[in-house]
Amino acid sequence: MDLTAGDLKQVLEMGRTLLSCQKVDELRRTTLSLLETIFRSEQINFFLIEDDGRLDFDGVVTRGIHDRYHRLFKVHYHPQDPFLKRFPPRASVLTMAEVIGRSDLRNSEYYNDFLRPQGIHHEMIICLKSGSRPTGVVAFFRPEHRPDFTRREKDKAGLLAPYLSSALEKNLVVERFRRQEKIIQTVVGDLPGGGLTVLNENLEPIYQGGRRPQVWPGSDRPDKKGEAKRLSLPPELRRAIEQMRNRTDPSSEERPAEMNLRLDLGGPDESATLRLRLVRDPDGPVLVFLTFDDQGGHPIPRHRLQSRGISRREAEVIDLIFNGCTNVEIARRLFISEYTVENHLRAIYRKTGVRNRTGLIHSLFHSV
């Protein structure tokens, strides 16, 4: 690897910049701006890759490529792209010379009718992955009068690939969570007394709100490695979910079916009625919504909180505070960040006119 200290510094600085990006499109635009400078390439494409392995043609972020050529690539030329014939590659970086001979390229329709009219002669790609699954591809182009991408530039791109892959994976996960949370907030409205749990396609919790019955004992306690345990759902609940999945078509526009299920919680006269609903995520799998009434109740009457302008989410935070939860525990149980918990606390303190948890508990108890 023939890289200088300046090259390594450039890679590290770009890596830090990319990891600080908060959204996928912000990351892609920042990437193209930095890569244009580093690799002296005025024409660059950044494609995302769908879960089924296909390029997201419509969502490409680009510099220096006219929309007309993106439309042509989508409808006609992408099957002829020599890189896509070897995609996903084992290596994270490939140049045009590695996928097709120069004479074969010059004699191809792809080059003469598509690349050449754009002034493109040299190309290098970075394949981004999450584990073994491809998540994106960045393609750099240069005209014929410019030199081809060098071994040194390829090595530099190879060093950048892990930073870029990690930054993209982080932002894809965050945006997916935000979409799911938006769906949850839209569908749920006011929670019933017992609260809500939302499960992903693997029946793992991605959201919990309000109080809940212990139908999955100890599931929100971390194991020895500090990781949350998988929910221990009762067999009858798992069977009910599978029955609903089997009769619900994810591609259908019809409202998914609902089911009520009465569960024994293990104690005398302890039971809960659960309502099951499957809700489609437009960009992903079907989510499982469980709402229930656990015969419980919030330690502070809801109307008291509402009269002070406390939102439903802030009431959930207050509920957990009264149960003695720390900020870390609140964040884990509500599937939000500690930063978001702190924001909720600041809003709660402002609305209740207190400065800390002790003042909050004193204020709310004396208002009952």
Side-chain angles (χ1 to χ4, degrees):
M1 185 176 292
D2 188 24
L3 295 178
T4 67
D7 292 329
L8 297 177
K9 181 180 178 181
Q10 201 173 39
V11 169
L12 289 173
E13 289 178 348
M14 181 172 176
R16 283 195 293 267
T17 300
L18 296 179
L19 290 171
S20 69
C21 293
Q22 300 299 311
K23 296 182 179 180
V24 171
D25 282 349
E26 175 195 358
L27 169 70
R28 293 203 284 169
R29 288 191 296 269
T30 301
T31 297
L32 297 197
S33 177
L34 294 173
L35 293 181
E36 179 178 0
T37 301
I38 292 175
F39 293 100
R40 296 172 292 111
S41 178
E42 293 81 21
Q43 295 171 293
I44 315 177
N45 287 330
F46 194 151
F47 288 97
L48 297 180
I49 298 176
E50 306 282 7
D51 290 339
D52 59 7
R54 295 182 297 177
L55 292 182
D56 177 12
F57 296 107
D58 297 324
V60 62
V61 173
T62 185
R63 291 176 79 92
I65 304 292
H66 196 279
D67 287 346
R68 171 173 174 267
Y69 289 105
H70 285 300
R71 291 193 294 270
L72 288 173
F73 185 70
K74 175 183 177 181
V75 301
H76 181 71
Y77 287 106
H78 73 271
Q80 303 177 39
D81 187 331
F83 286 99
L84 293 184
K85 292 179 180 179
R86 290 182 54 179
F87 194 83
R90 292 184 179 180
S92 58
V93 180
L94 283 177
T95 62
M96 182 72 82
E98 293 175 295
V99 297
I100 188 172
R102 198 52 79 180
S103 60
D104 290 336
L105 177 65
R106 287 182 176 274
N107 292 327
S108 68
E109 174 192 357
Y110 181 70
Y111 175 76
N112 288 290
D113 294 351
F114 183 68
L115 295 184
R116 192 172 181 179
Q118 300 180 70
I120 294 174
H121 188 75
H122 308 292
E123 183 176 355
M124 179 172 70
I125 71 162
I126 300 178
C127 179
L128 309 178
K129 299 179 182 179
S130 173
S132 61
R133 184 179 69 86
T135 55
V137 60
V138 182
F140 313 78
F141 308 102
R142 283 180 182 164
E144 187 170 9
H145 68 270
R146 294 273 303 282
D148 199 353
F149 294 95
T150 65
R151 179 68 195 183
R152 176 183 166 189
E153 289 176 316
K154 183 180 175 183
D155 288 342
K156 189 187 295 189
L159 279 181
L160 280 170
Y163 289 104
L164 187 48
S165 292
S166 296
L168 178 60
E169 181 177 19
K170 180 199 75 172
N171 282 279
L172 287 172
V173 169
V174 169
E175 291 203 355
R176 181 173 183 81
F177 177 82
R178 286 172 179 162
R179 287 196 301 270
Q180 291 176 337
E181 187 173 42
K182 185 176 181 181
I183 292 172
I184 291 166
Q185 298 298 337
T186 300
V187 172
V188 173
D190 292 330
L191 293 177
L196 166 77
T197 295
V198 181
L199 311 177
N200 64 15
E201 67 274 20
N202 298 318
L203 300 187
E204 299 166 340
I206 60 173
Y207 177 93
Q208 289 183 15
R211 299 168 64 86
R212 61 180 177 81
Q214 296 300 314
V215 296
W216 29 87
S219 59
D220 56 351
R221 296 177 187 154
D223 60 17
K224 293 181 180 179
K225 297 181 180 180
E227 298 175 352
K229 296 179 181 179
R230 180 167 176 161
L231 290 179
S232 299
L233 299 180
E236 59 268 39
L237 178 55
R238 286 185 174 274
R239 286 194 296 269
I241 292 172
E242 289 306 315
Q243 289 173 7
M244 293 184 66
R245 281 175 166 175
N246 292 337
R247 69 170 187 250
T248 301
D249 179 5
S251 63
S252 173
E253 293 299 323
E254 296 181 5
R255 181 178 178 180
E258 294 185 356
M259 177 187 296
N260 290 333
L261 185 67
R262 192 74 178 171
L263 285 182
D264 181 6
L265 303 184
D269 300 322
E270 292 186 51
S271 62
T273 299
L274 279 77
R275 172 172 292 182
L276 282 62
R277 181 190 296 182
L278 303 188
V279 178
R280 286 192 313 276
D281 177 349
D283 299 305
V286 172
L287 307 177
V288 180
F289 279 56
L290 305 176
T291 56
F292 44 82
D293 182 2
D294 62 353
Q295 314 295 329
H298 196 277
I300 302 299
R302 295 292 180 181
H303 72 274
R304 297 276 186 175
L305 298 178
Q306 292 172 354
S307 68
R308 296 184 178 219
I310 300 295
S311 70
R312 176 172 50 79
R313 184 55 126 182
E314 290 164 357
E316 293 171 4
V317 173
I318 292 173
D319 189 3
L320 294 174
I321 288 174
F322 272 77
N323 287 323
C325 293
T326 65
N327 285 9
V328 173
E329 291 169 331
I330 293 172
R332 189 177 69 245
R333 293 197 183 195
L334 298 183
F335 294 87
I336 57 179
S337 69
E338 289 183 57
Y339 176 78
T340 302
V341 173
E342 292 169 0
N343 282 342
H344 285 314
L345 286 174
R346 281 193 289 269
I348 291 168
Y349 295 159
R350 185 182 69 252
K351 293 175 182 179
T352 56
V354 301
R355 296 184 177 181
N356 51 42
R357 291 179 177 224
T358 302
L360 176 67
I361 294 172
H362 184 272
S363 171
L364 293 179
F365 264 126
H366 278 271
S367 69
V368 177

